[in-house]
């Protein structure tokens, strides 16, 4: 039986009914020995994820010094789940300890991590598997930076003597035992880390959709499902907002070429999406565009100066000004006398004027302007490199939909074309590109 690591996301862990389905899935394959779980997610559209309730507890503690009301909601969810599952096990002592330590440690990362912790405690009881705490095997530095090699060693060592285990996703600890978390959605990374360490044949990522769709199903109704995707395409798409899988999930599995299979807990017979290191040539030949993803919340710093191209180190000076303010840059499309720097709004918030002044002082441009309200859309596919006319098709589709392209950048690998459009055009632009290629 092939060894598999199965990670189950928030919707899969949201209710006793879904947890029963998870247990059936795990038990139906003798190779599913290591299970990684998220905190319970939303039960319905307007519900609140346990992780969000935990962050609220932290803010309550900051402001009021107590978090009784929000913690009571968390307690209700877990006691309700345990009762409905019919488990003969009392979760209240675990909840009491968590509540006590949240007040004692006063750390947002500690608070946020407890959803996964409690979720894994319950799942281990349900499956009869051993509970292995992520704090003992997932290593972070004291600054909160994840340490992949140290972690790999620890996880491999620990799990070499445990045949079947449930491990909470999303967090780990530093050498002092202080809890740190990945960024949001990080249980996907935890699952990939475990898959690498136990040398799994497959990393299964169980979620609430039938795999990766060509684009966001919340924008395009019933988009086509992608049967196979490469690690590189996945990285581009998830970084640009296709949040099915955390963008950092590929790093651990890439080391050992472990494929990822996205599967639907609520429709387990669907084959889902396979994510592999190298894409078969037949698929590349057949398909130009693999997927389309995007995000709002960007700005363009537009800089014009005559003869800019002749000025030595012009780009470096602009980038140094941004580095001074600790701003990371997304794209730098440029012309002969113009240059645009695309940055996330979150990177420049509160320091916009200072950044513009710093650039002005560094390169004395003829004009400099900050254009707000930009959405970026990435159209991704290995097949685009071999097929002429992809950019033309994409631009025509946007023109026909009366959408103005504010920025265009084609990656050197020809794996992606990025366009910037106004926030208000975002959804229509995604639809127009989708329908042009599908
Ligand atoms: P989980 O809690 O299982 O980790 P997530 O909510 O993180 O699940 O990711 C699954 C969700 O990602 C889907 O419910 C869907 O709304 C969203 N999504 C965004 N883009 C895509 C896409 N291209 N294909 C499929 N789902 C997508
Ligand atoms: N529970 C965490 C979050 O909501 C991590 C995860 O679900 O992957 O972001
Ligand atoms: Mg997720």
């Amino acid at each position: 039986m092939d060894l598999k690591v199965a990670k189950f996301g928030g919707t899969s862990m949201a209710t006793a009914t879904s947890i029963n389905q998870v247990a059936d899935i795990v038990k139906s394959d003798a190779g599913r020995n290591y299970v990684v779980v998220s905190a319970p997610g939303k039960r319905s559209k307007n519900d609140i994820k346990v992780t969000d309730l935990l962050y609220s507890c932290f803010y309550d503690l900051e402001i009021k010094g107590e978090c009784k009301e929000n913690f009571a909601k968390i307690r209700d969810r877990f006691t309700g789940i345990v009762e409905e599952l019919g488990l003969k096990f009392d979760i209240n002592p675990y909840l009491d300890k968590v509540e006590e330590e949240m007040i004692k440690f006063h750390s947002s990362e500690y608070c946020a991590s407890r959803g996964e912790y409690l979720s894994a405690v319950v799942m281990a009881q349900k499956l009869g598997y051993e509970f292995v705490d992520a704090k003992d095997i997932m290593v972070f530095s004291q600054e909160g930076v994840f340490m992949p090699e140290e972690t790999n060693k620890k996880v491999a060592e620990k799990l070499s003597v445990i045949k079947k285990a449930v491990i909470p996703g999303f967090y780990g600890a530093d050498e002092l035992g202080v809890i740190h978390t990945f960024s949001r959605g990080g249980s996907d990374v935890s699952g990939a880390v475990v898959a690498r360490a136990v040398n799994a044949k497959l990393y299964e990522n169980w979620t609430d959709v039938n795999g990766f769709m060509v684009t966001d199903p919340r924008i395009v109704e019933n988009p086509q499902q992608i049967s196979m995707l490469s690690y590189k395409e996945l990285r581009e798409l998830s970084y640009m907002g296709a949040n099915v899988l955390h963008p950092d999930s590929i790093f651990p599995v890439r080391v050992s070429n472990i494929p990822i299979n996205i599967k639907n807990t609520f429709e387990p017979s669907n084959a889902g999406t396979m994510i592999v290191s190298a894409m078969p040539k037949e698929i590349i030949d057949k398909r130009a565009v693999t997927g389309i993803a995007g995000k709002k919340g960007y700005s363009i710093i537009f800089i014009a100066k005559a003869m800019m191209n002749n000025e030595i180190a012009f780009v470096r000076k602009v980038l140094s000004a941004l580095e001074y303010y600790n701003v990371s840059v997304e794209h730098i499309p440029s012309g002969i006398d113009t240059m645009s720097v695309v940055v996330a709004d979150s990177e420049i918030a509160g320091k916009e004027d200072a950044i513009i002044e710093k650039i002005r002082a560094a390169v004395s441009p003829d004009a400099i302007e900050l254009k707000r309200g930009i959405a970026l859309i990435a159209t991704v596919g290995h097949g685009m490199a071999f097929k002429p006319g992809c950019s033309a098709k994409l631009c025509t589709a946007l023109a026909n939909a009366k959408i103005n392209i504010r920025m265009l950048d084609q990656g050197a690998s020809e794996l992606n074309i990025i366009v910037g459009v106004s926030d208000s055009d975002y959804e229509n632009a995604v639809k127009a590109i989708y329908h042009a290629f599908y």
Side-chain angles (χ1 to χ4, degrees):
M1 204 35 86
D2 285 344
L3 178 60
K4 294 174 183 133
V5 169
K7 178 261 170 179
F8 293 88
T11 321
S12 309
M13 297 303 297
T15 64
T17 312
S18 63
I19 292 174
N20 277 321
Q21 275 163 293
V22 167
D24 289 345
I25 289 168
V26 173
K27 293 286 165 91
S28 69
D29 184 329
R32 293 187 179 121
N33 288 358
Y34 300 108
V35 174
V36 175
V37 293
S38 283
K42 293 183 181 192
R43 292 160 292 187
S44 59
K45 197 162 175 268
N46 295 320
D47 196 19
I48 307 174
K49 286 180 167 193
V50 164
T51 308
D52 289 312
L53 287 171
L54 286 159
Y55 280 116
S56 298
C57 283
F58 173 73
Y59 297 123
D60 287 349
L61 285 170
E62 286 272 283
I63 296 162
K64 305 187 283 192
E66 54 96 358
C67 59
K68 287 197 180 64
E69 201 181 317
N70 275 312
F71 196 80
K73 293 182 193 161
I74 294 166
R75 189 179 286 273
D76 280 354
R77 280 203 70 174
F78 281 105
T79 51
I81 286 172
V82 169
E83 193 183 339
E84 257 190 80
L85 286 173
L87 296 175
K88 292 198 178 18
F89 135 85
D90 185 7
I91 194 164
N92 279 299
Y94 291 86
L95 288 158
D96 294 342
K97 182 150 183 256
V98 164
E99 190 174 13
E100 193 185 298
E101 293 191 334
M102 277 177 26
I103 296 166
K104 188 165 104 195
F105 297 147
H106 216 273
S107 133
S108 75
E109 290 180 275
Y110 176 80
C111 290
S113 72
R114 295 303 88 184
E116 269 69 14
Y117 168 76
L118 293 164
S119 185
V121 167
V122 172
M123 199 66 220
Q125 287 288 331
K126 169 74 197 170
L127 291 170
Y129 284 16
E130 190 164 328
F131 168 81
V132 173
D133 197 337
K135 84 170 170 24
D136 301 324
I137 51 175
M138 300 281 175
V139 188
F140 285 73
S141 72
Q142 286 183 39
E143 291 75 37
V145 178
F146 177 61
M147 318 270 277
E149 298 313 317
E150 290 78 350
T151 300
N152 190 51
K153 243 206 237 141
K154 272 204 169 174
V155 179
E157 208 174 274
K158 180 88 183 175
L159 297 183
S160 68
V161 291
I162 301 175
K163 176 120 198 290
K164 289 173 184 283
V166 179
I167 303 142
F170 191 40
Y171 73 93
D174 64 29
E175 56 189 358
L176 302 176
V178 174
I179 300 288
H180 298 277
T181 58
F182 292 107
S183 58
R184 293 300 301 264
S187 299
D188 292 333
V189 185
S190 310
V193 166
V194 175
R196 176 192 170 194
V198 300
N199 210 359
K201 274 275 173 305
L202 183 66
Y203 171 32
E204 292 180 332
N205 192 288
W206 292 85
T207 182
D208 57 2
V209 280
N210 280 336
F212 228 99
M213 314 289 164
V214 172
T215 193
D216 192 334
R218 291 163 296 189
I219 298 177
V220 172
E221 207 178 312
N222 267 327
Q224 213 165 301
Q225 186 179 330
I226 308 173
S227 59
M228 196 179 272
L229 199 67
S230 75
Y231 289 155
K232 280 188 186 148
E233 289 172 324
L234 169 79
R235 173 88 181 140
E236 297 281 344
L237 289 167
S238 55
Y239 181 76
M240 281 304 293
N243 59 356
V244 196
L245 208 61
H246 192 290
D248 295 347
S249 326
I250 62 155
F251 297 125
V253 288
R254 196 172 62 181
V255 179
S256 320
N257 266 337
I258 302 167
I260 308 172
N261 191 189
I262 315 258
K263 295 272 289 175
N264 189 351
T265 299
F266 308 97
E267 202 183 318
S269 59
N270 191 297
T273 299
M274 283 302 281
I275 300 162
V276 297
S277 62
M279 195 64 110
K281 190 169 177 306
E282 311 88 79
I283 295 189
I284 299 180
D285 286 346
K286 258 204 313 240
R287 169 172 91 187
V289 168
T290 303
I292 304 149
K295 272 197 277 197
K296 295 181 183 178
Y298 291 93
S299 292
I300 298 175
I301 305 171
F302 174 80
I303 304 162
K305 188 176 186 185
M307 312 284 280
M308 166 191 296
N309 59 325
N310 286 341
E311 204 172 312
I312 306 284
F314 189 92
V315 175
R316 181 181 56 73
K317 287 178 198 162
V318 171
L319 294 182
S320 299
L322 288 158
E323 186 185 358
Y324 181 84
Y325 284 105
N326 212 11
V327 173
S328 78
V329 167
E330 300 286 330
H331 299 281
I332 317 175
S334 48
I336 301 171
D337 294 329
T338 62
M339 167 183 181
S340 297
V341 184
V342 183
V343 292
D345 289 343
S346 53
E347 289 286 313
I348 56 169
K351 40 192 179 182
E352 296 87 339
D353 293 344
I355 291 168
I356 298 294
E357 280 321 305
K358 189 92 184 158
I359 297 174
R360 219 192 280 280
V363 296
S364 312
D366 299 335
I368 179 164
E369 191 192 339
L370 183 66
K371 301 179 184 178
R372 310 300 304 251
I374 302 291
L376 294 183
I377 301 167
T379 303
V380 176
H382 289 292
M384 290 197 297
F386 307 98
K387 294 186 186 62
C390 290
S391 310
K393 199 169 180 179
L394 188 151
C395 294
T396 307
L398 292 177
N400 288 342
K402 304 207 161 20
I403 293 164
N404 181 23
I405 299 176
R406 315 237 346 234
M407 190 277 293
L408 183 99
D409 197 8
Q410 179 158 23
S413 62
E414 290 187 62
L415 178 64
N416 60 10
I417 302 170
I418 313 271
V419 291
V421 299
S422 294
D423 271 350
S424 54
D425 286 332
Y426 171 65
E427 282 82 5
N428 283 337
V430 169
K431 284 182 195 153
I433 299 172
Y434 177 80
H435 292 298
F437 289 96
Y438 281 88

